Amino acid sequence: MKKNEVDIITLGCSKNLVDSEHLMMQLKSCGYTVKHDPRRVEGEIVVVNTCGFIGDAKEESVNAILELVEEKKQGRIGKLYVMGCLSERYRADLEKELPEVDGYYGKFSWQNLLADLGKAFNNDLVSQRVITTPKHYAYVKISEGCNRHCSYCAIPLMTGAHQSQTMEDLVEEVSSLAAKGVKEIQLIAQDLTYYGRDIYGESKLAELVRRIAAIDGIEWIRLHYAYPYQFPKDILDVMREEPKVCAYLDMALQHISTHMLTQMRRHITSEETYALLQEIREKVPGIHLRTTLMVGHPGETEQDFEELKAFVRKARFERMGAFAYSHEEGTYAYKHYEDEIPQYIKMQRLDEIMRIQEGIAADINDEKVGKTMRVIIDRKEAEYYVGRTEFDSPEVDNEVLIPRKNGALKLGEFYQVKITEADTFDLYGEVVCDK
């Protein structure tokens, strides 16, 4: 056990990561040595930032807590604290089942941890954080919460209603990041496209992105977690006109059958979805779309699933993920629908839809062979430098592998890379020139 060291373990999404980074800055200002996701957990204090979205995420969080409880019993760590979505949602149950944890804090009450450590929250650092990602990119959370209330989603139960940050605060935050060498901004929110409606009375995403694009030092801006209903189409003009805004959009669609979209309370039809996708591709030529689909939601028939498969083949998403429905307590679906589709059917459908996408992803990557693309270098790994194009978000999308034997490259720098080979999820290339 290392005295005066705090180890922070972050589970779940990049929004949780931002919370952990803010906590780390506060702890550092209190004189602690702070480590994030260390290989070996050995701090005097350990904090687990949990996820509670679906069954698999909850299981991962609980298992992590159980492992650390055992570490505490063995005397390898000192105090153990839990924060984040899981403890926001199930705090009473966790306190009863795992009393060995020294304190539980919700999604928005982690500041109380400082008080319990006998430390004061530093208001001068409220917008500051320790960046845990490579120093050239960072996540920026533009809002919290969600007003959509889709049938299956427990997130509004944990995060509450949508709350946008002001444009002034966000511009200040990004300017501070740029001054520290950050070149690439991943804008994130549970619902990016609702941004501004709560404080300005209308969507302000397009204006926000233009203001961020004007900040010196920022070279790439990428948009995550758009919602198709009430999509603010003026953002498409910004994406087309602003060279700093990546031709990339992450928009979870969940399904295409109007029957299922209605069951899911998504407020959009199949026809409207197809029309929106067509308009996005027309207004932003070359855009790469990432989406997420769900299989096995209550009421999904074989006909619905066949329609979904046909949609995947027709839409040809450059990036796609999928997951099986999880019957989450407190959601509309939990209260009003029976979880009648057997788990093995859900998994069969999940495997089938992802096999279709694998072929599409391989074809799209093959089309890039011979092209020269701008690539930012993230890290060195074995015999390769590993980078990404503007069409790839960290950790979830393709990477570009460049042999180290071809010459030294600088991490965080841009290079023009000719793509020489491709497989389903990675590209291989050689540097043509800087920038």
Side-chain angles (χ1 to χ4, degrees):
M1 184 194 312
K2 291 190 176 180
K3 293 292 183 183
N4 211 47
E5 178 176 304
V6 183
D7 293 339
I8 296 183
I9 299 165
T10 303
L11 305 173
C13 66
S14 50
K15 295 186 289 296
N16 270 10
L17 180 64
V18 172
D19 294 337
S20 291
E21 291 176 341
H22 281 292
L23 175 59
M24 290 173 70
M25 178 60 77
Q26 291 288 333
L27 291 167
K28 267 188 88 174
S29 75
C30 294
Y32 289 105
T33 298
V34 187
K35 294 184 178 179
H36 186 258
D37 286 345
R39 289 185 179 180
R40 183 179 178 184
V41 179
E42 54 188 358
E44 177 184 9
I45 299 166
V46 178
V47 183
V48 187
N49 191 354
T50 58
C51 180
F53 177 41
I54 58 174
D56 288 347
K58 290 188 291 186
E59 183 178 356
E60 180 187 20
S61 292
V62 170
N63 287 340
I65 297 168
L66 289 170
E67 289 176 10
L68 290 166
V69 164
E70 189 59 34
E71 292 287 300
K72 183 184 175 187
K73 288 179 179 177
Q74 299 297 323
R76 287 189 282 269
I77 64 174
K79 297 286 187 179
L80 174 59
Y81 297 98
V82 173
M83 61 180 277
C85 292
L86 188 76
S87 52
E88 179 75 36
R89 191 175 176 195
Y90 298 108
R91 180 170 177 170
D93 293 335
L94 289 167
E95 287 175 336
K96 180 180 178 181
E97 297 296 326
L98 292 169
E100 298 91 345
V101 172
D102 294 284
Y104 289 94
Y105 307 89
K107 175 74 174 168
F108 305 107
S109 63
W110 57 262
Q111 294 91 336
N112 296 336
L113 169 59
L114 294 166
D116 290 346
L117 294 174
K119 307 295 182 180
F121 184 84
N122 190 335
N123 286 305
D124 292 336
L125 298 175
V126 69
S127 64
Q128 300 296 310
R129 52 192 168 110
V130 175
I131 300 302
T132 60
T133 52
K135 63 182 181 180
H136 54 277
Y137 72 81
Y139 296 95
V140 172
K141 182 162 50 173
I142 69 171
S143 66
E144 278 282 11
C146 184
N147 287 10
R148 302 298 188 179
H149 299 288
C150 300
S151 65
Y152 51 84
C153 187
I155 287 175
L157 303 175
M158 296 177 279
T159 62
H162 184 103
Q163 297 181 50
S164 301
Q165 290 197 58
T166 66
M167 281 189 279
E168 290 75 18
D169 285 349
L170 290 166
V171 168
E172 181 181 347
E173 179 179 358
V174 175
S175 297
S176 175
L177 291 169
K180 295 174 182 176
V182 171
K183 301 175 181 179
E184 177 183 358
I185 296 295
Q186 321 289 340
L187 289 185
I188 57 173
Q190 188 55 41
D191 179 3
L192 199 78
T193 40
Y194 200 89
Y195 175 76
R197 293 180 187 273
D198 54 324
I199 54 178
Y200 302 113
E202 60 182 344
S203 174
K204 288 290 186 177
L205 181 63
E207 183 178 345
L208 173 67
V209 173
R210 283 197 190 277
R211 290 177 67 171
I212 291 174
I215 296 171
D216 289 340
I218 299 302
E219 298 199 42
W220 275 356
I221 303 165
R222 192 174 286 102
L223 307 180
H224 286 277
Y225 318 127
Y227 196 92
Y229 175 61
Q230 296 178 323
F231 183 87
K233 295 180 181 177
D234 54 347
I235 190 61
L236 300 177
D237 297 327
V238 179
M239 297 178 77
R240 183 182 64 254
E241 295 165 6
E242 288 284 357
K244 292 183 179 181
V245 182
C246 297
Y248 176 103
L249 182 65
D250 189 339
M251 180 169 63
L253 296 174
Q254 309 300 359
H255 218 284
I256 193 58
S257 157
T258 297
H259 166 236
M260 287 313 305
L261 292 169
T262 302
Q263 286 279 102
M264 292 177 172
R265 306 177 83 205
R266 297 284 288 175
H267 310 293
I268 195 168
T269 65
S270 175
E271 292 77 13
E272 290 166 341
T273 302
Y274 273 111
L276 175 60
L277 293 176
Q278 181 177 345
E279 185 170 358
I280 290 171
R281 291 201 183 277
E282 287 176 352
K283 287 191 173 180
V284 189
I287 191 171
H288 279 43
L289 294 174
R290 165 170 278 282
T291 196
T292 305
L293 302 176
M294 179 190 294
V295 297
H297 184 283
E300 185 183 54
T301 65
E302 285 293 339
Q303 181 178 345
D304 292 323
F305 181 60
E306 289 299 320
E307 190 173 343
L308 184 63
K309 290 195 295 182
F311 174 59
V312 172
R313 293 188 180 103
K314 184 173 182 179
R316 292 183 64 80
F317 293 103
E318 287 79 8
R319 315 281 183 254
M320 194 198 87
F323 64 104
Y325 170 79
S326 177
H327 210 43
E328 294 298 317
E329 303 97 323
T331 61
Y332 182 92
Y334 190 87
K335 296 174 182 176
H336 296 90
Y337 304 143
E338 180 184 350
D339 185 17
E340 84 283 11
I341 299 176
Q343 186 66 19
Y344 80 92
I345 294 292
K346 293 179 186 178
M347 299 314 295
Q348 284 178 359
R349 291 178 180 177
L350 181 61
D351 290 344
E352 192 170 349
I353 209 88
M354 289 310 299
R355 280 198 302 271
I356 295 171
Q357 178 61 24
E358 273 194 33
I360 293 168
D363 289 345
I364 290 171
N365 273 358
D366 284 343
E367 293 169 2
K368 291 181 168 65
V369 175
K371 295 182 178 179
T372 298
M373 311 182 77
R374 193 180 188 214
V375 170
I376 193 166
I377 305 301
D378 284 339
R379 66 186 188 277
K380 291 185 285 189
E381 189 173 283
E383 68 269 31
Y384 293 103
Y385 287 100
V386 182
R388 291 172 292 107
T389 73
E390 70 169 296
F391 307 118
D392 301 297
S393 190
E395 299 185 5
V396 296
D397 290 327
N398 284 352
E399 294 180 319
V400 181
L401 282 68
I402 304 164
R404 292 173 66 179
K405 65 182 180 181
N406 291 351
L409 304 181
K410 293 181 180 179
L411 303 189
E413 293 296 326
F414 290 93
Y415 295 87
Q416 293 293 326
V417 176
K418 183 176 181 180
I419 306 303
T420 56
E421 296 180 58
D423 59 28
T424 304
F425 299 115
D426 286 310
L427 302 172
Y428 298 82
E430 56 188 30
V431 171
V432 177
C433 63
D434 293 358
K435 294 288 181 181

